[in-house]
Amino acid sequence: METPDKSSTAIAFVYRGTLVHSTPKEALQILEDALLGVDSEGKIAFIGEGNESQKLSEVFRFSPSAVTQLDQHEFLMPGMIDTHIHASQYSYAGTALDMPLLQWLSNYTFPVESQFKDLEFANKVYTQVVKRTLRNGTTTACYFATIHTDASLLLGQITNDFGQRALVGKVCMDRNDAVQHYRETSQESQDETNRFIKELLNKKYPLVKPVVTPRFAPSCTEALLVQLGATAKNNNLHIQSHISENLEEIKLVKELFPKSESYSDVYHKCNLLTDKTVMAHGCHLSDKELALFRETGAALSHCPNSNFSLCSGLLNVRNVLNHKVKLGLGTDVAGGYSSSMLDAVRRTLDGSKVLTIQDREHKTLTFEEVFRLATLGGSQGEPKHEKSFSKSTI
């Protein structure tokens, strides 16, 4: 039980019932007849046992009669953390899944994202995706926006207004031969990224922070990647991008960056693999690359729905965990057709079972382990924050 200090804020809500959560040592811990108090700032003030209600009420100064009792089949759990989602792609989620990654980007994604210079359109889509993910139990999200600074700032405002914790990234890309009107010059990308960071930080949103976001190596020149690595370091910011999603993409990276030993080496040389980095996918990373992730403290976001839907690859999550690489789950809308983190949990289990079908020596992931990835796992690569709980019904 946490002991309050004299500066503690008032208790706003107290709940009694079943709590489920994860710890580093225990994948799923069930606390029956627990008492959880939330202060007026929305932070968890204490967790205790239900039979300690009277004692806790005296310590934390709340009325026992104000306690909300959960029903028999209700429980509280930590909010889920979506470590990779393209907010701008929500408008066509569930469609356009008939092509592999690079062709999918050129034919569907880039033309849609180019429309976000229209702030009215951006406001409509961004409002929908934030509301939808919150309804799905996602209390923290790592969002990709587009190359448009003002629309990206609008996404930050919307997440703040709805009370969702978020990392919001203005996408950076100075190379795009497929849809040439949807790209920046290297200097424009640097200047607009700096403007985005400055203006978003000046808003002083309590739950929303900027994240440096090179789309992925094929859409960025090395000069831009180097500048973005320096920007992240100078501002002590998180970094997000994509890595080793499909084999055609990896081949393209080798052609564009012939002096780099691997896809991971491209980012590493540009100071983009840090303990504040979240890289999506990683389906085809070598053991040597995973060791580099472990060494630098960089995290991976596993996005199974997208990996299956675009036929990109199958991540061996067990192997990633064995390498002690930080790992969370992502929906990767709209490559992934569902914005629900529960779907990410289900697809992660499916992928692990497929690997077991292929290799009977493979140790299948348990539901408890995947629950931890969707909650505690995602927090390893995200901003430090107080745990938030959401109510669920069995």
Side-chain angles (χ1 to χ4, degrees):
M1 182 182 74
E2 184 176 337
T3 302
D5 56 36
K6 293 182 179 179
S7 62
S8 294
T9 57
I11 300 300
F13 305 100
V14 180
Y15 300 93
R16 182 172 181 174
T18 301
L19 308 183
V20 297
H21 72 134
S22 300
T23 71
K25 292 184 178 180
E26 193 170 359
L28 183 65
Q29 188 176 81
I30 300 175
L31 306 177
E32 296 184 12
D33 192 24
L35 208 64
L36 181 143
V38 181
D39 67 24
S40 58
E41 295 181 351
K43 297 180 179 179
I44 295 172
F46 66 84
I47 297 177
E49 296 181 8
N51 58 17
E52 297 178 316
S53 179
Q54 185 60 45
K55 178 181 177 182
L56 289 168
S57 69
E58 295 171 0
V59 174
F60 288 93
R61 300 182 296 278
F62 65 87
S63 171
S65 63
V67 175
T68 299
Q69 177 70 52
L70 301 185
D71 292 338
Q72 180 182 358
H73 299 295
E74 291 183 327
F75 62 94
L76 290 174
M77 60 171 279
M80 288 177 286
I81 299 173
D82 190 341
T83 56
H84 185 71
I85 176 170
H86 292 263
S88 53
Q89 297 174 18
Y90 184 72
S91 62
Y92 64 97
T95 68
L97 296 173
D98 58 339
M99 295 181 178
L101 175 66
L102 298 184
Q103 292 76 19
W104 178 80
L105 288 170
S106 298
N107 286 276
Y108 300 125
T109 301
F110 295 153
V112 171
E113 289 191 10
S114 68
Q115 299 177 42
F116 279 75
K117 60 181 177 290
D118 180 345
L119 291 182
E120 184 177 348
F121 176 72
N123 182 69
K124 179 181 178 180
V125 176
Y126 288 156
T127 298
Q128 289 175 337
V129 69
V130 173
K131 290 172 69 175
R132 177 73 264 179
T133 53
L134 282 169
R135 286 198 301 272
N136 288 339
T138 300
T139 54
T140 300
C142 206
Y143 285 119
F144 276 62
T146 65
I147 67 174
H148 310 101
T149 302
D150 292 334
S152 301
L153 289 168
L154 178 60
L155 175 57
Q157 177 189 323
I158 291 169
T159 55
N160 175 73
D161 290 347
F162 282 103
Q164 186 178 54
R165 184 180 298 276
L167 288 175
V168 175
K170 174 215 158 298
V171 171
C172 300
M173 47 191 293
D174 63 345
R175 182 155 48 190
N176 183 7
D177 293 333
V179 183
Q180 295 191 18
H181 67 273
Y182 187 58
R183 69 179 181 188
E184 313 156 289
T185 68
S186 182
Q187 191 61 51
E188 285 172 343
S189 189
Q190 294 171 43
D191 291 345
E192 287 302 294
T193 295
N194 289 331
R195 179 167 80 87
F196 170 74
I197 292 169
K198 181 179 180 180
E199 291 191 21
L200 189 57
L201 289 176
N202 284 343
K203 298 291 186 181
K204 300 189 183 303
Y205 295 142
L207 302 178
V208 182
K209 297 291 182 284
V211 51
V212 174
T213 306
R215 182 177 211 105
F216 67 158
S219 67
C220 298
T221 60
E222 186 170 0
L224 177 58
L225 293 175
V226 168
Q227 285 297 322
L228 294 176
T231 296
K233 181 178 180 180
N234 293 339
N235 293 277
N236 192 29
L237 294 177
H238 280 75
I239 299 163
Q240 63 178 353
S241 193
H242 303 79
I243 193 167
S244 294
E245 186 172 352
N246 87 352
L247 296 177
E248 185 182 7
E249 167 209 13
I250 295 170
K251 180 181 178 181
L252 179 58
V253 170
K254 288 180 180 179
E255 294 172 356
L256 294 173
F257 301 89
K259 295 182 180 179
S260 292
E261 180 181 332
S262 65
Y263 203 152
S264 298
D265 190 44
V266 173
Y267 291 129
H268 187 48
K269 285 180 176 178
C270 299
N271 296 312
L272 289 167
L273 286 186
T274 75
D275 62 358
K276 289 180 174 289
T277 295
V278 181
M279 286 284 172
H281 304 295
C283 299
H284 307 284
L285 290 174
S286 67
D287 286 350
K288 185 175 181 179
E289 288 177 284
L290 288 173
L292 180 60
F293 267 71
R294 168 64 177 172
E295 177 187 332
T296 58
L300 277 174
S301 171
H302 177 39
C303 307
N305 189 313
S306 173
N307 296 338
F308 298 156
S309 295
L310 299 180
C311 298
S312 296
L314 184 61
L315 178 68
N316 188 332
V317 172
R318 180 67 67 194
N319 188 46
V320 174
L321 295 176
N322 287 342
H323 278 82
K324 295 181 169 39
V325 172
K326 295 183 295 187
L327 181 67
L329 303 184
T331 60
D332 193 25
V333 169
Y337 56 76
S338 173
S339 60
S340 169
M341 283 295 294
L342 287 178
D343 175 83
V345 168
R346 298 183 190 108
R347 300 289 84 77
T348 298
L349 287 167
D350 290 344
S352 184
K353 291 175 182 177
V354 169
L355 288 171
T356 300
I357 292 171
Q358 296 173 343
D359 178 8
R360 288 296 176 182
E361 298 299 316
H362 176 261
K363 185 179 179 183
T364 310
L365 295 170
T366 66
F367 165 77
E368 291 84 354
E369 288 179 298
V370 180
F371 175 87
R372 177 164 58 188
L373 293 178
T375 54
L376 183 63
S379 72
Q380 296 176 90
E382 302 298 322
K384 183 179 179 182
H385 62 279
E386 304 289 335
K387 184 183 288 185
S388 57
F389 279 77
S390 59
K391 186 170 77 169
S392 300
T393 302
I394 296 174

